[in-house]
């Protein structure tokens, strides 16, 4: 047998395998990888020989916990500028909707992003990506949606792809074509929806710049009919849907997401029981975003008990964006998901691993520690997995492995 590349011994594994008991935990465990895939995840006593004979590099985890690499499955990480003035306006009593209606909100970031060069956009976004990486993230979803014209939407998605190539993180890109109606289309809504569902979508698909599409279904954004038109066009090109749904009001977003067998319906604070049942039927993941709930001082919580009762997979993400969730730490968000939404630490860890992978269409690739999956894992200096949700702003991984980095390195090394 040729040797494994790395072997961690004396570890405790939170494999997060479904149905394998709390955290899918294995004590007195070892984890090995070879060629960027997990080659062993089990008990030390089941190792097929002496560690030094088995792997090129043997590391002693000294009883630390190893989890799957964390997955942030909903971010708007690529943008220019910031919205700290709006933060102050909200503290002074103005609502998010009122600021948006007055031309601020998403449109203020659209103006800054349109004005930024690709290099500026890359540099500003890279520092945020480093923030996520420090928290143990190995896979991140990045949405467009601050361009709302062809050139800027494409530029955002190119920057997102380049961030993945250069940092070695696994980046999944989402074309958020229907995010806000730009003022130049104020009296031509249908033209804007047609543009985003037609020429811009095709240009993005032609360049392979998006792995999925997303839309913002809300009173201050787009209607169900507009979103359906956009999703149908994407489906015709083989692109799966995700939806910002029922965040500020009940717009039947959960049901619409289910109708299109969307990968996920995100936010869903106001979703009703019928919508949640439909999501369960369709296999649509519920992505909960406590950062936005916290920043907007919302009071309506997502229907966690209903999700549990229907067995809808729950994911948790930062929603990193300049308006409603200027958060670049997934562990901090995990703490919020427990304290604000009442999820258990185990549910939250599943929400940033196994279920987050599913929300990105990556369930066979990453999200659990299982032989054959990508070698994405994090070693944590903790004595219990719940510590991952308990500490705020202080916990750093001891080691992070991301197989996408290996793939990127191989791609750039001449054969
Ligand atoms: O997920 N809801 C729409 N999109 C973002 C907010 C974007 C912004 O305000 O810039 C969200 O909360
Ligand atoms: Fe969002």
């Amino acid at each position: 047998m040729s040797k494994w590349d790395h072997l961690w011994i004396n570890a405790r594994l939170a494999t997060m395998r479904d149905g394998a008991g709390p955290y899918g935990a294995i004590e007195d465990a070892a984890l090995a990888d070879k060629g960027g895939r997990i080659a062993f995840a089990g008990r030390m006593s089941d190792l097929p020989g002496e560690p030094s004979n088995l792997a090129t590099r043997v590391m002693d985890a000294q009883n630390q916990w190893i989890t799957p690499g964390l997955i942030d499955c909903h971010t708007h990480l690529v943008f220019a500028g910031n919205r700290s003035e709006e933060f102050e306006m909200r503290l002074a009593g103005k609502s998010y909707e009122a600021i948006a209606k007055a031309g601020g909100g998403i449109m203020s970031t659209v103006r800054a992003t349109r004005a930024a060069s690709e290099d500026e956009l890359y540099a500003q976004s890279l520092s945020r990506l480093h923030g996520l990486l420090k928290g143990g993230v190995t896979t991140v979803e990045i949405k467009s949606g601050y361009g709302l014209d062809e050139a800027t939407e494409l530029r955002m998605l190119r920057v997102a792809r380049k961030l993945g190539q250069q940092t070695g993180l696994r980046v999944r890109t989402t074309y958020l074509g229907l995010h806000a109606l730009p003022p130049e289309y104020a009296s031509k809504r249908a033209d804007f929806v047609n543009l985003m569902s037609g020429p811009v979508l095709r240009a993005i698909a032609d360049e392979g710049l998006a792995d999925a599409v997303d839309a913002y279904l809300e009173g201050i954004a787009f209607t169900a009919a507009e979103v359906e038109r956009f999703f149908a066009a994407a489906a015709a090109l083989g692109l799966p849907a995700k939806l910002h749904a029922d965040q500020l009001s009940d717009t039947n977003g959960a049901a619409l997401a289910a109708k299109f067998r969307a990968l996920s319906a995100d936010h869903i604070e106001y979703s009703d029981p019928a919508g949640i049942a439909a999501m369960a039927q369709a296999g649509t993941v519920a992505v909960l975003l406590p950062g936005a709930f916290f920043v907007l001082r919302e009071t309506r919580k997502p229907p966690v008990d209903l999700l549990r009762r229907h067995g809808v997979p729950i994911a948790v993400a930062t929603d990193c964006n300049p308006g409603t969730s200027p958060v670049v730490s997934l562990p901090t968000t995990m703490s919020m998901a427990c304290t604000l939404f009442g999820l258990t630490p185990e549910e939250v860890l599943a929400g940033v691993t196994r279920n987050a992978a599913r929300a990105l269409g990556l369930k066979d690739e990453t999200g659990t520690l299982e032989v054959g999956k990508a070698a994405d894992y994090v070693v944590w200096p903790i004595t219990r997995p719940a510590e991952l949700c308990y500490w705020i702003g202080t916990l750093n991984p001891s080691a992070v492995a991301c197989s996408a980095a290996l793939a990127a390195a191989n791609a750039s090394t001449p054969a």
Side-chain angles (χ1 to χ4, degrees), residues 74 76 83 96 106 146 179 216 244 247 267 319 321-324:
H74 178 141
H76 308 251
R83 305 232 294 274
Y96 180 68
I106 293 170
Y146 291 124
H179 198 193
Y216 187 20
H244 281 75
Q247 178 191 11
H267 290 289
D319 195 12
N321 78 69
T324 63

Side-chain angles (χ1 to χ4, degrees), residues 147-377:
L148 308 180
D149 62 28
E150 178 165 339
T152 318
E153 287 295 304
L154 283 148
R155 185 155 78 244
M156 288 185 73
L157 292 168
R158 282 197 204 104
V159 165
R161 285 274 193 242
K162 186 168 149 199
L163 285 166
Q165 282 145 12
Q166 312 240 319
T167 60
L169 264 88
R170 182 177 287 95
V171 169
R172 298 293 275 187
T173 54
T174 302
Y175 165 45
L176 173 49
L178 301 189
H179 198 193
L181 185 70
E184 61 271 24
Y185 283 92
S187 57
K188 302 183 288 183
R189 287 187 74 91
D191 289 357
F192 180 74
V193 174
N194 288 339
L195 175 70
M196 290 291 139
S197 313
V200 179
L201 174 66
R202 275 197 300 279
I204 286 167
D206 283 350
E207 265 194 61
L209 282 173
D211 302 306
V213 301
D214 194 346
Y216 187 20
L217 174 64
E218 192 60 66
I220 54 170
F222 292 91
T223 66
E226 290 163 341
V227 171
E228 290 208 20
R229 155 120 186 65
F230 179 64
F231 278 2
L237 295 174
L239 287 171
K242 301 171 79 66
L243 184 64
H244 281 75
D246 305 329
Q247 178 191 11
L248 307 171
S249 59
D250 183 3
T251 51
N252 272 322
L256 192 153
K259 179 173 169 191
F260 281 85
R261 307 196 82 77
L263 288 170
S264 66
D266 304 36
H267 290 289
I268 66 161
E269 280 86 343
Y270 284 84
S271 296
D272 65 7
I276 301 301
M279 283 174 65
Q281 278 288 319
T284 297
V285 176
V287 178
L288 307 188
L289 305 167
F293 178 92
F294 169 74
V295 169
L296 295 182
R297 290 189 284 185
E298 295 290 341
T299 52
R300 169 83 171 227
K301 296 182 192 184
V304 169
D305 279 335
L306 262 180
L307 294 170
R308 286 179 181 137
R309 244 180 288 140
H310 284 278
V312 175
I314 299 173
V316 172
T318 62
D319 195 12
C320 172
N321 78 69
T324 63
S325 193
V327 178
V328 290
S329 164
L330 192 52
T332 300
T333 308
M334 292 161 67
S335 164
M336 290 181 189
C338 293
T339 301
L340 300 176
F341 292 168
L343 295 180
T344 67
E346 188 186 355
E347 286 174 322
V348 170
L349 193 57
V352 296
T353 55
R354 184 176 73 236
N355 293 339
R358 189 160 162 180
L360 297 179
L362 290 174
K363 74 176 169 49
D364 298 325
E365 179 67 9
T366 185
T368 60
L369 299 178
E370 282 181 85
V371 171
K373 279 202 181 180
D376 295 357
Y377 56 82

Side-chain angles (χ1 to χ4, degrees), residues 354-410:
R354 184 176 73 236
N355 293 339
R358 189 160 162 180
L360 297 179
L362 290 174
K363 74 176 169 49
D364 298 325
E365 179 67 9
T366 185
T368 60
L369 299 178
E370 282 181 85
V371 171
K373 279 202 181 180
D376 295 357
Y377 56 82
V378 185
V379 185
W380 299 97
I382 54 174
T383 57
R384 303 178 65 241
E387 282 186 65
L388 294 171
C389 297
Y390 159 79
W391 296 108
I392 302 177
T394 176
L395 191 61
N396 295 312
S398 308
V400 178
C402 180
S403 65
L406 191 72
N410 286 342

